[in-house]
Amino acid sequence: MFLNVHSSYSLKYGTLSIEQLIAAARSLGIHQMVLTDINNSTGAVEFIRACYKQGIAKEADEIQRGNIPYQIKPAAGIEFRTDNRLLYVGIAKNREGMRELNEFLSLHNINHIPLPETPPQMDNTYIIYPFRKSFSLALKENEFVGIRAKQLSLLYRHPLLKQKEKLLVWHPVTVGNKITYRLHEYLRAIELNTLLSKVPDEQKCDPDEFLIPEEELTQQFKQYPFIVQNTQKLLNSCDLSVYFEDKPVPSSKNKFFYTDEGIEGDKKMLRELAERGLKYRYGENNPTAVERLEKELRIIELKNFCAYFLITYDIVRYAMEDCGFYHVGRGSGANSIVAYCLRITDVDPIDLDLYFERFLHEKRTSPPDFDIDFSWDERETIQKYIFKTYPEWHVAFLGTMSTFKDRAIIREIGKVLGLPKEEIDSFTDPTKERENSANSTYQKLLAVHQYMKSMPNQRSIHAGGILISEEPITYYTALDMPPKGFPTVQWDMYEAEAIGYEKFDILSQRGIGHIREAVQLIKKNKGRDIDIHDFKTFKDDQKLNGILKEGQPIGCFYIESPAMRQLLKKLKCDNYLTLVAASSIIRPGVASSGMMKSYIERYHAPDKVVYLCGVMKERLSETYGVMVYQEDVIKVCHYFAGLDLADADILRKAMSGKYRSKLAFEELVNKFKFSARKEGHSEELINEVWRQISSFAGYSFSKAHSASFAVESYQSLYLKTYYPMEFMVAVLNNYGGFYSRWVYVHELQKTGARVHLPCVNQSDEVVNINGEDAYLGFIGIQGLEEKNIKNIPNERRANGPYTDLEDFVKRTCISLEQTIILIRLGALRFTGKDRKTLLWDVHNYLGFKQKKVNHAELFKLSYKTYQLPALADSQLENAYTELELLGYPLNYKMFDFLKTPYRGDTMAADMHKHLGKTVKMVGNYVCEKTVHTVKNTKMWFGTFLDANGDFFDTTHFPNTTPMYPFKGKGCYLILGKVVEDFGFQSIEVLKFAKLDIQMNPVAID
């Protein structure tokens, strides 16, 4: 009887989750419902699946206890609205009806076309219009009118009585009760960005839009039994049971075949490519690699994933061969030798003892996926290729669903209640929690917060997931068109997995841009071709490993952060395998669990490591008995407990919190212990091994993922080591990185490059380098308009260098204000005039009102010149200008701004000479990190540069540090004790203060 049910996927309108809707329906004995969320089908398949699952007993003794589950028959559709005005509701008769509705909505979403007042003909769909007192629409065969019980009095002599078969029971469901109706009002106020008291009634649902027993609803229509019969007939004709697959794993919905010959053609092509790649990677005779390849191909064929590998291969092939792009294949896909041979990844799984089962195995209950990274400015090209290659409706971006978050909820509720900003700020301030707890208004906010938290807030787009479907994706979802410009499904990766889709993750990162551009600059500036994929040579390069050990790889992907530099130094990391481990144990969960410290201790004293048993020593000797990787959990489960590799990976996944069935998880634990007993291990040993697995597995990281990061880190480190100038220019031009821009400019200067301020006759949009001369680009100059950033170098390249100020202004048609920015920064110094003289000239030439200077001239016209007195040009003043317009001074150190000449008693390079002593240092602030202690107090870690340009790090404990010690950019006087941890020195701060600086001479004037 319920043809118009809203879930919380009717964003900022519906209040009940699908789980809550079904629970409420079961409690009332309801047998049929139609989910029709507003302008979306996000929850349709989830709703159908959940309803059918209600009819399956989860435990064998349920029936014995009398809890015989019954099945709610689900149907689904879409409610179509414009500006919150209900147009009509579409209900799918069958699977084709869902496709019709989804494609109808998708066409309007994608093309940004308003929904029509009446929909087109859809043969497998019912259309229901809301009842109106004057209803003149001529109804088609599949069109009906829904009437509410309170509208029945309006039927007297109504023209619709002549079409009795067209009338249906209409009882929309939006809320659960009076409390959730109030929640609905809050949601509407948030959506409309207005006060709670000012939400118009027409923008809200009726207060009675909640589920009631079917008998009660039927009773309301007892005077018109034919309306009930019509409704029941419509409901009985809907059948969406095809969407429920009562299997552990839904069949794959991805594109079935890559070749025109189908599965056999795919098998043949994948084998040919893999065998060709095997020779490229391992040479002619490598029986270990051949055996591994055959094993993987067997499982890939068994699981019908040939097409998945071939589609990924095609994406990588297009990037490498057709576009010349560089990519990184990472994630668990790097566990596959087939992926390695197809050049999807550059990680050798045999060299690193990586298990294919971590990626794919016969018992895997969820689809695998590849993570392919491209440069940040090349990814869109790859995305366009994918959307061009596969038919419309068969390819789409994966969506995400953002939810209401704690502090955001408080802010939203506070705004709709009309609270002043200051009060809202105090309610979201964690330091005022005790004070707020006694505030009645705050308590009211918290009460609403309890209902709203984790509710869907808005649909968005996944970072890089793309679905390529065998059949139209519109069988399962409508599509949105976010600002990125690609059709996007209306549900997230978890629903995609439940339906049976494996996503292709096409991601991006700045680090790849660093590498790509550095290689290009080296070719241009040095005339050398670099094979950046020659990783085997890089990892054995002693010079690279020496720099890695020193922990100073600024600009290098993943290893430049203060925490990572510290770890590299503590480990004295000088090889690839140690870097792979470091890439895993640096993760926050690992560090907080104590595993990082344990690993470092064992790394430096391997002879003192006590292994639990021979199996643990044999299998975990590489990581000194510590389970650093997810693969280590698989190893222990397989070799210690005797589980097969597939079951071992299932247990690994369960330990990471991705296994939702508690009962099934307990069965796995029992299976582990039972199997371990069969291996002859004692109960005490089994329990201790299990304790370690359960302690570490939730924090562990895929070794293949770490290895992928480590490969890219080595590539960056190679370029930084042998071609530091070009590499640092590439870092600057691709932005990204851990530090602020000035740190990378500083690093470029340290390479010996002569770094120049922007110049209209030398600079491009980005930083350029010629020999050892690097010119900062126009990008990054505060206030300079984008059209000028592009036009200045384009005009110069087309028509030659600018000859003087007048020539520059005429050819670029630049405004007075924009020219002043460039003059102040010294970008017109080629004229031989100082900045102040040029400022006088430009005002004289352009005047205080902009003149049009781009008219045609037969002769060059002169303008009046004046003999100016000598104008003072202060280096400090210029440094302040650079600070204003660039964000940093180029040739004037931050230390030179200080009023005091004092630079500290100790420099960073000498800290090792003062261990345990209290020293005074002066540091230029680089960055900070705030952490919370176990007592919920704050402490900080700081990073600074000394006057010599060397890094040093500080620790600020709560008992010796002000509440907020850092006060932004500048130099700080630091009093603290030099401490050392595994060879890494830092300062435990006792006193800390920002130093005064000289004022800008212009401000003084």
Side-chain angles (χ1 to χ4, degrees):
M1 291 297 117
F2 299 95
L3 302 177
N4 185 207
V5 178
H6 303 112
S7 75
S8 54
Y9 290 128
S10 290
L11 302 177
K12 301 186 186 75
Y13 194 91
T15 62
L16 301 171
S17 68
I18 284 174
E19 184 181 357
Q20 290 170 331
L21 273 173
I22 293 173
R26 286 175 64 84
S27 69
L28 295 170
I30 293 169
H31 290 78
Q32 292 175 310
M33 285 194 303
V34 186
L35 185 73
T36 53
D37 279 314
I38 298 170
N39 292 344
N40 78 84
S41 56
T42 303
V45 179
E46 179 187 346
F47 174 71
I48 295 165
R49 186 171 60 246
C51 284
Y52 277 109
K53 279 186 177 179
Q54 299 298 313
I56 301 172
K58 291 185 175 62
E59 297 179 25
D61 60 345
E62 267 196 37
I63 296 175
Q64 293 179 0
R65 295 201 302 266
N67 296 331
I68 301 174
Y70 79 92
Q71 182 175 293
I72 298 171
K73 182 184 177 183
I78 299 172
E79 179 179 306
F80 296 92
R81 291 193 178 213
T82 295
D83 297 327
N84 201 45
R85 179 172 61 88
L86 173 60
L87 300 175
Y88 36 81
V89 170
I91 298 176
K93 297 179 186 178
N94 48 39
R95 193 167 178 268
E96 289 301 320
M98 281 305 301
R99 181 186 59 77
E100 289 174 346
L101 286 169
N102 284 329
E103 288 184 6
F104 169 60
L105 179 59
S106 300
L107 279 169
H108 289 81
N109 288 344
I110 291 171
N111 297 304
H112 305 289
I113 302 171
L115 289 165
E117 292 296 315
T118 59
Q121 177 62 36
M122 291 183 269
D123 296 334
N124 298 280
T125 300
Y126 295 117
I127 299 297
I128 305 174
Y129 296 97
F131 176 83
R132 293 189 296 273
K133 190 174 181 179
S134 57
F135 196 94
S136 58
L137 189 66
L139 296 172
K140 301 174 186 175
E141 183 181 350
N142 69 324
E143 294 181 331
F144 298 84
V145 175
I147 185 168
R148 301 187 187 219
K150 61 188 176 185
Q151 296 173 320
L152 289 172
S153 61
L154 300 175
L155 271 181
Y156 180 69
R157 293 187 176 181
H158 197 285
L160 278 172
L161 283 175
K162 295 177 182 178
Q163 302 179 71
K164 290 183 177 181
E165 72 282 0
K166 293 295 186 181
L167 287 169
L168 302 173
V169 173
W170 195 251
H171 183 89
V173 176
T174 304
V175 300
N177 49 40
K178 290 181 180 179
I179 294 175
T180 50
Y181 179 73
R182 189 60 170 167
L183 173 62
H184 166 79
E185 291 183 306
Y186 276 99
L187 292 170
R188 298 308 300 141
I190 292 170
E191 168 72 4
L192 299 169
N193 194 27
T194 188
L195 294 175
L196 188 64
S197 59
K198 291 189 176 181
V199 179
D201 288 342
E202 62 270 19
Q203 291 288 340
K204 298 185 286 189
C205 73
D206 287 356
D208 63 353
E209 290 190 13
F210 49 82
L211 288 169
I212 59 176
E214 288 175 341
E215 297 81 4
E216 182 180 335
L217 183 58
T218 303
Q219 187 66 21
Q220 292 176 359
F221 287 80
K222 65 180 180 180
Q223 300 298 324
Y224 300 90
F226 64 88
I227 297 179
V228 175
Q229 292 165 10
N230 294 341
T231 308
Q232 193 62 58
K233 182 181 177 181
L234 184 147
L235 282 168
N236 290 344
S237 69
C238 296
D239 183 6
L240 297 176
S241 58
V242 68
Y243 284 102
F244 177 63
E245 300 180 52
D246 186 17
K247 304 170 188 173
V249 186
S251 58
S252 174
K253 303 299 186 298
N254 278 44
K255 184 171 171 57
F256 293 163
F257 313 118
Y258 178 76
T259 63
D260 294 336
E261 293 78 21
I263 185 64
E264 293 305 318
D266 284 4
K267 287 180 182 178
K268 181 182 177 183
M269 182 177 182
L270 182 61
R271 175 171 290 278
E272 289 175 354
L273 290 170
E275 288 176 349
R276 188 192 314 159
L278 191 74
K279 292 178 182 177
Y280 167 74
R281 294 293 196 183
Y282 295 101
E284 290 290 340
N285 185 22
N286 191 318
T288 303
V290 171
E291 182 182 356
R292 170 74 177 255
L293 186 74
E294 289 297 330
K295 170 191 168 184
E296 288 194 16
L297 287 172
R298 180 183 65 79
I299 297 175
I300 292 167
E301 291 173 4
L302 178 70
K303 302 295 288 184
N304 294 323
F305 279 116
C306 291
Y308 186 75
F309 273 78
L310 289 171
I311 290 170
T312 309
Y313 161 78
D314 179 62
I315 293 168
V316 169
R317 178 210 58 76
Y318 171 76
M320 294 173 66
E321 296 178 8
D322 294 11
C323 303
F325 291 172
Y326 173 54
H327 74 280
V328 170
R330 58 179 175 84
S332 59
N335 288 64
S336 168
I337 196 172
V338 175
Y340 183 53
C341 291
L342 266 56
R343 301 190 71 176
I344 295 171
T345 76
D346 276 327
V347 175
D348 184 345
I350 294 177
D351 182 41
L352 288 174
D353 191 25
L354 300 177
Y355 290 15
F356 180 61
E357 288 74 12
R358 170 62 185 86
F359 178 61
L360 183 64
H361 53 74
E362 297 175 29
K363 298 180 182 179
R364 178 157 180 154
T365 58
S366 62
D369 59 59
F370 283 112
D371 296 337
I372 312 295
D373 284 341
F374 294 93
S375 176
W376 62 278
D377 55 351
E378 294 173 344
R379 177 171 67 158
E380 189 173 337
T381 302
I382 303 300
Q383 293 167 341
K384 286 179 178 177
Y385 171 73
I386 296 170
F387 276 81
K388 182 182 70 176
T389 302
Y390 300 97
E392 185 182 30
W393 308 131
H394 291 255
V395 57
F397 260 104
L398 193 56
T400 61
M401 185 68 70
S402 63
T403 57
F404 285 104
K405 299 295 191 297
D406 288 344
R407 292 189 185 182
I409 297 175
I410 298 295
R411 287 198 172 277
E412 294 286 4
I413 299 170
K415 282 195 295 183
V416 301
L417 287 175
L419 301 180
K421 182 179 182 302
E422 295 75 17
E423 189 172 7
I424 296 173
D425 290 343
S426 72
F427 287 160
T428 57
D429 186 346
T431 64
K432 297 182 178 180
E433 194 169 332
R434 183 177 297 179
E435 177 186 333
N436 290 332
S437 61
N439 186 304
S440 59
T441 305
Y442 182 66
Q443 292 304 315
K444 182 178 181 179
L445 265 66
L446 284 184
V448 181
H449 167 273
Q450 285 301 109
Y451 285 95
M452 198 180 293
K453 68 179 181 180
S454 299
M455 281 185 68
N457 182 9
Q458 61 183 11
R459 294 191 302 275
S460 186
I461 188 169
H462 188 272
I466 294 177
L467 305 179
I468 302 174
S469 182
E470 173 65 21
E471 56 186 357
I473 293 175
T474 45
Y475 277 113
Y476 302 94
T477 175
L479 303 176
D480 292 325
M481 182 62 88
K484 278 204 169 188
F486 293 104
T488 303
V489 300
Q490 293 187 327
W491 27 247
D492 60 20
M493 59 184 289
Y494 302 105
E495 181 61 13
E497 183 177 313
I499 291 171
Y501 279 108
E502 304 91 40
K503 69 182 186 300
F504 296 83
D505 268 330
I506 308 300
L507 304 164
S508 69
Q509 49 154 291
R510 302 274 175 172
I512 294 177
H514 300 167
I515 293 170
R516 176 210 62 203
E517 185 163 345
V519 170
Q520 293 170 348
L521 287 172
I522 293 163
K523 171 73 172 175
K524 180 181 177 183
N525 204 39
K526 296 281 201 307
R528 295 175 190 167
D529 290 307
I530 304 296
D531 181 4
I532 200 62
H533 297 284
D534 188 17
F535 168 68
K536 290 183 179 179
T537 301
F538 300 163
K539 74 172 185 175
D540 296 324
D541 188 314
Q542 292 306 308
K543 188 173 182 180
L544 267 62
N545 287 324
I547 293 173
L548 194 65
K549 184 177 179 179
E550 288 303 310
Q552 295 296 325
I554 305 302
C556 295
F557 173 77
Y558 202 69
I559 55 175
E560 63 166 337
S561 70
M564 193 63 174
R565 291 190 296 104
Q566 289 179 33
L567 179 58
L568 294 175
K569 204 159 186 179
K570 289 176 183 178
L571 289 172
K572 296 183 171 59
C573 177
D574 62 357
N575 62 82
Y576 173 56
L577 286 179
T578 303
L579 180 58
V580 173
S583 298
S584 181
I585 64 175
I586 193 64
R587 298 174 70 237
V590 179
S592 61
S593 72
M595 191 171 74
M596 178 192 287
K597 184 178 180 183
S598 178
Y599 180 87
I600 297 171
E601 289 172 348
R602 295 180 180 207
Y603 179 85
H604 287 292
D607 54 319
K608 295 181 180 179
V609 176
V610 178
Y611 294 91
L612 289 175
C613 63
V615 175
M616 298 289 276
K617 182 176 183 179
E618 180 183 359
R619 297 299 165 185
L620 296 180
S621 58
E622 180 190 318
T623 55
Y624 314 103
V626 176
M627 280 177 269
V628 171
Y629 312 111
Q630 292 172 351
E631 287 83 352
D632 292 336
V633 176
I634 297 174
K635 281 183 187 179
V636 172
C637 291
H638 179 60
Y639 290 103
F640 174 81
L643 295 178
D644 65 42
L645 289 169
D647 280 339
D649 184 61
I650 292 170
L651 185 58
R652 185 274 314 163
K653 187 174 184 182
M655 295 302 299
S656 65
K658 296 178 181 176
Y659 214 74
R660 296 173 183 174
S661 170
K662 184 179 179 183
L663 182 64
F665 177 64
E666 288 174 355
E667 288 177 2
L668 283 170
V669 176
N670 293 333
K671 188 173 184 178
F672 171 87
K673 293 186 175 181
F674 177 76
S675 183
R677 291 186 195 107
K678 287 178 66 177
E679 294 292 313
H681 301 304
S682 69
E683 201 69 24
E684 182 182 2
L685 178 59
I686 292 169
N687 288 334
E688 176 56 24
V689 171
W690 177 252
R691 185 196 67 78
Q692 290 193 15
I693 289 175
S694 59
S695 297
F696 296 146
Y699 299 122
S700 57
F701 202 35
S702 165
K703 186 177 183 181
H705 198 75
S706 296
S708 302
F709 278 3
V711 167
E712 190 175 344
S713 297
Y714 260 95
Q715 290 167 326
S716 295
L717 191 60
Y718 170 82
L719 295 168
K720 170 89 186 282
T721 301
Y722 290 104
Y723 305 96
M725 295 182 190
E726 289 80 6
F727 178 74
M728 290 314 304
V729 169
V731 170
L732 284 165
N733 286 344
N734 287 273
Y735 289 79
F738 186 87
Y739 301 101
S740 299
R741 187 167 179 79
W742 72 266
V743 176
Y744 299 117
V745 173
H746 170 75
E747 281 292 309
L748 177 57
Q749 290 173 318
K750 283 176 65 176
T751 67
R754 293 183 292 272
V755 184
H756 304 276
L757 288 167
C759 172
V760 297
N761 268 345
Q762 299 290 340
S763 294
D764 298 317
E765 294 93 324
V766 296
V767 184
N768 63 39
I769 186 168
N770 185 6
E772 296 182 354
D773 288 294
Y775 281 85
L776 297 179
F778 297 114
I779 292 176
I781 300 177
Q782 298 295 317
L784 190 63
E785 295 171 0
E786 186 174 352
K787 64 179 181 181
N788 292 321
I789 290 172
K790 294 179 179 179
N791 185 42
I792 293 169
N794 284 344
E795 167 61 26
R796 185 189 72 234
R797 286 189 283 261
N799 298 306
Y802 303 106
T803 56
D804 54 27
L805 172 63
E806 181 184 356
D807 181 53
F808 171 73
V809 171
K810 283 182 178 180
R811 287 166 57 185
T812 59
C813 305
I814 193 169
S815 70
L816 175 64
E817 292 76 11
Q818 291 281 287
T819 311
I820 289 171
I821 290 173
L822 293 169
I823 290 172
R824 291 182 64 212
L825 197 53
L828 279 88
R829 59 190 179 276
F830 77 92
T831 62
K833 297 181 178 181
D834 62 62
R835 304 182 196 199
K836 291 184 178 177
T837 301
L838 284 168
L839 286 172
W840 182 276
D841 287 348
V842 76
H843 278 96
N844 180 37
Y845 177 61
L846 289 178
F848 289 96
K849 291 183 179 180
Q850 180 72 39
K851 296 178 182 177
K852 189 173 182 180
V853 295
N854 61 334
H855 54 78
E857 292 181 348
L858 291 175
F859 306 100
K860 183 176 179 180
L861 302 177
S862 61
Y863 59 96
K864 289 184 179 180
T865 59
Y866 300 90
Q867 184 64 42
L868 297 175
L871 300 171
D873 194 21
S874 159
Q875 191 176 3
L876 179 60
E877 180 185 336
N878 291 340
Y880 264 105
T881 300
E882 293 168 20
L883 195 60
E884 174 193 343
L885 297 177
L886 290 178
Y888 55 90
L890 180 62
N891 297 311
Y892 197 82
K893 293 182 180 179
M894 288 300 295
F895 292 94
D896 296 333
F897 283 92
L898 296 177
K899 288 182 176 179
T900 175
Y902 182 68
R903 300 295 180 261
D905 296 338
T906 304
M907 306 306 282
D910 299 322
M911 284 169 58
H912 66 283
K913 300 175 183 177
H914 302 279
L915 292 179
K917 297 177 183 177
T918 299
V919 299
K920 279 184 181 179
M921 300 184 71
V922 174
N924 181 14
Y925 170 86
V926 175
C927 61
E928 68 188 79
K929 180 182 180 182
T930 306
V931 297
H932 286 85
T933 68
V934 291
K935 296 181 180 179
N936 203 30
T937 56
K938 287 182 179 179
M939 65 179 293
W940 293 263
F941 296 97
T943 299
F944 297 86
L945 284 171
D946 68 12
N948 292 335
D950 295 323
F951 283 91
F952 67 95
D953 296 88
T954 58
T955 304
H956 307 248
F957 291 107
N959 58 338
T960 59
T961 307
M963 182 59 70
Y964 296 103
F966 296 99
K967 297 179 180 178
K969 293 180 182 178
C971 294
Y972 291 77
L973 178 61
I974 304 162
L975 177 70
K977 185 171 73 170
V978 181
V979 296
E980 185 176 73
D981 187 22
F982 294 105
F984 176 80
Q985 297 94 36
S986 62
I987 303 293
E988 286 185 357
V989 176
L990 301 173
K991 289 185 179 180
F992 188 71
K994 190 172 181 180
L995 293 171
D996 291 334
I997 59 174
Q998 302 174 65
M999 296 298 291
N1000 187 344
V1002 174
I1004 295 172
D1005 294 343

